[in-house]
Amino acid sequence: MTPAPFPAARLRRLRRTRALREMVQENGFSARDLIWPVFIREGENVADPIPSLPGVARLSLDRLMAAADRALELGIPAICLFPYTDPALRTEGCEEAWNPENLTNRAIRMLKARAPGLMVMTDIALDPYNANGHDGFVVNGEIVNDETVAALVRMGLAQAEAGADILGPSDMMDGRIGALRLALEADGHRDVAILSYAAKFASAFYGPFRDAVGATGRLVGDKATYQINPANASEALACVARDLAEGADMVMVKPGMPYLDICRAVKDRFERPTFAYQVSGEYAMLMAAAQNGWLDGDKVMFESMMAFKRAGCDGVLSYFAPRLAEALRD
Ligand code: PBG
């Protein structure tokens, strides 16, 4: 609706005081909208800082339990696990990915025993276990789709068996959601949710994450034959439509801030639970500028969160999750 002409309409009238501004505020967010990505590693009582992700560390499982307590206390509903795999366990066959005793599956069982009310999300892709850093099997230099999907299904079933609440396929193979959903139903895991990394772009913003999981330096080539070309919006919507049709309960757009147009389009078109991943590079950029005194860290953190809500996101995966929740509480 067009406002009346000036001076009948003075849009500044409702911006005059803080109370008026808050009264007419259109969007808001809370700790309930957050999923906290956490890197895990072997060992005892270690928190191994990741230089390209200031304030983020790889946690041994005892330290992960402390993080879970903190999440509960702060009202963060879910944690998403990303393993740093021992280099000796990274193979061409990626067998460790579906080992029921791998680091992630042990972490899931410990978390569910410690804090059953905290939702545990996992990542499904072969990259933490692959000798060459790819999300799928590599045969003669090509990432093979259907063989990878079969492996991803085994990996997802092992995670569901361990007690994961939400599975996050991040691999971008074709047909993985349908195959996973079918296998979950057949195996009696009817209520395990799938949050599909549906619109995942071939982005350079994942750099610090690859440092964190130890994929940097291992990755041979790039992921352009499976992740979406950053120039394409229609293709991203096709991926979301396909994943929802195959049985995804929720969908994700990734990265987040450079792709807010995609978030809005996905929410408007599909009207399903829509998440954005504020990825490692986005977090690193804001943190680096804040550390230099060039930006106000807290303010850009809040503003970026509001941007996701304004773009239609129901929730956000963010490395800022604990800091945000703490700031919201105070
Ligand atoms: C791996 C995966 C990636 C991220 C989440 N899962 C990296 C990639 O696809 O190379 C990126 C997350 C981030 O950058 O914070 N399948």
Side-chain angles (χ1 to χ4, degrees), residues 82 123 125 127 135 170-171 197 200 205-206 209-210 223 227 254 277 279-281 319:
F82 293 100
D123 190 75
D127 54 333
D135 292 14
S170 71
D171 54 285
Y197 287 62
K200 178 170 177 179
F205 285 101
Y206 307 147
F209 173 96
R210 293 182 191 166
K223 301 192 176 185
Q227 299 178 347
K254 175 188 177 190
Y277 198 144
V279 299
S280 56
Y319 302 97

Side-chain angles (χ1 to χ4, degrees), residues 126-314:
L126 299 180
D127 54 333
Y129 309 100
N130 207 337
N132 51 52
H134 276 290
D135 292 14
F137 290 129
V138 183
V139 178
N140 299 327
E142 273 182 36
I143 287 81
V144 292
N145 194 87
D146 301 12
E147 295 79 353
T148 298
V149 168
L152 296 171
V153 167
R154 293 178 78 176
M155 181 177 179
L157 284 179
Q159 294 170 349
E161 195 59 47
D165 300 286
I166 305 166
L167 304 182
S170 71
D171 54 285
M172 291 301 284
M173 295 300 120
D174 287 317
R176 82 244 207 252
I177 302 297
L180 185 61
R181 177 53 78 206
L182 231 114
L184 288 169
E185 285 288 328
D187 241 32
H189 301 295
R190 293 184 189 136
D191 293 325
V192 171
I194 299 177
L195 169 44
S196 168
Y197 287 62
K200 178 170 177 179
F201 291 86
S203 171
F205 285 101
Y206 307 147
F209 173 96
R210 293 182 191 166
D211 297 340
V213 299
T216 308
R218 268 193 188 82
L219 183 62
V220 181
D222 60 33
K223 301 192 176 185
T225 68
Y226 44 108
Q227 299 178 347
I228 305 168
N229 178 347
N232 295 355
S234 302
E235 185 186 351
L237 295 179
C239 289
V240 172
R242 189 262 322 263
D243 285 5
L244 285 169
E246 289 185 13
D249 304 284
M250 305 175 267
V251 290
M252 189 201 295
V253 175
K254 175 188 177 190
M257 277 225 281
Y259 296 85
L260 290 178
D261 57 326
I262 309 293
C263 297
R264 170 47 68 196
V266 166
K267 189 65 194 179
D268 284 349
R269 180 166 308 193
F270 301 105
E271 302 181 299
R272 299 303 302 148
T274 302
F275 287 75
Y277 198 144
Q278 183 176 45
V279 299
S280 56
E282 302 176 60
Y283 173 88
M285 280 196 300
L286 298 181
M287 287 299 287
Q291 285 180 336
N292 274 294
W294 297 338
L295 289 174
D296 179 321
D298 270 334
K299 285 192 174 149
V300 291
M301 167 179 84
F302 280 120
E303 189 175 331
S304 64
M305 232 18 74
M306 198 61 91
F308 289 120
K309 297 299 284 193
R310 196 191 60 243
C313 294
D314 297 285

Side-chain angles (χ1 to χ4, degrees), residues 27-223:
N27 292 287
F29 59 87
S30 79
R32 303 256 160 240
D33 303 319
L34 296 169
I35 297 177
W36 179 9
V38 179
F39 298 102
I40 53 176
R41 50 159 289 161
E42 297 288 354
E44 246 174 78
N45 196 26
V46 270
D48 175 17
I50 302 152
S52 53
L53 285 175
V56 180
R58 303 181 192 98
L59 305 178
S60 55
L61 297 190
D62 49 344
R63 290 296 209 70
L64 173 67
M65 296 305 115
D69 294 346
R70 189 165 168 224
L72 277 180
E73 187 193 305
L74 290 170
I76 297 172
I79 271 187
C80 183
L81 299 174
F82 293 100
Y84 174 87
T85 308
D86 182 343
L89 295 172
R90 297 177 198 236
T91 61
E92 303 278 324
C94 308
E95 293 83 4
E96 183 66 5
W98 50 89
N99 176 358
E101 294 304 321
N102 73 18
L103 180 62
T104 297
N105 292 330
R106 276 182 281 134
I108 298 168
R109 284 194 293 270
M110 280 176 74
L111 282 169
K112 293 317 292 184
R114 169 101 170 195
L118 180 68
M119 297 296 97
V120 178
M121 175 172 167
T122 58
D123 190 75
I124 304 183
L126 299 180
D127 54 333
Y129 309 100
N130 207 337
N132 51 52
H134 276 290
D135 292 14
F137 290 129
V138 183
V139 178
N140 299 327
E142 273 182 36
I143 287 81
V144 292
N145 194 87
D146 301 12
E147 295 79 353
T148 298
V149 168
L152 296 171
V153 167
R154 293 178 78 176
M155 181 177 179
L157 284 179
Q159 294 170 349
E161 195 59 47
D165 300 286
I166 305 166
L167 304 182
S170 71
D171 54 285
M172 291 301 284
M173 295 300 120
D174 287 317
R176 82 244 207 252
I177 302 297
L180 185 61
R181 177 53 78 206
L182 231 114
L184 288 169
E185 285 288 328
D187 241 32
H189 301 295
R190 293 184 189 136
D191 293 325
V192 171
I194 299 177
L195 169 44
S196 168
Y197 287 62
K200 178 170 177 179
F201 291 86
S203 171
F205 285 101
Y206 307 147
F209 173 96
R210 293 182 191 166
D211 297 340
V213 299
T216 308
R218 268 193 188 82
L219 183 62
V220 181
D222 60 33
K223 301 192 176 185

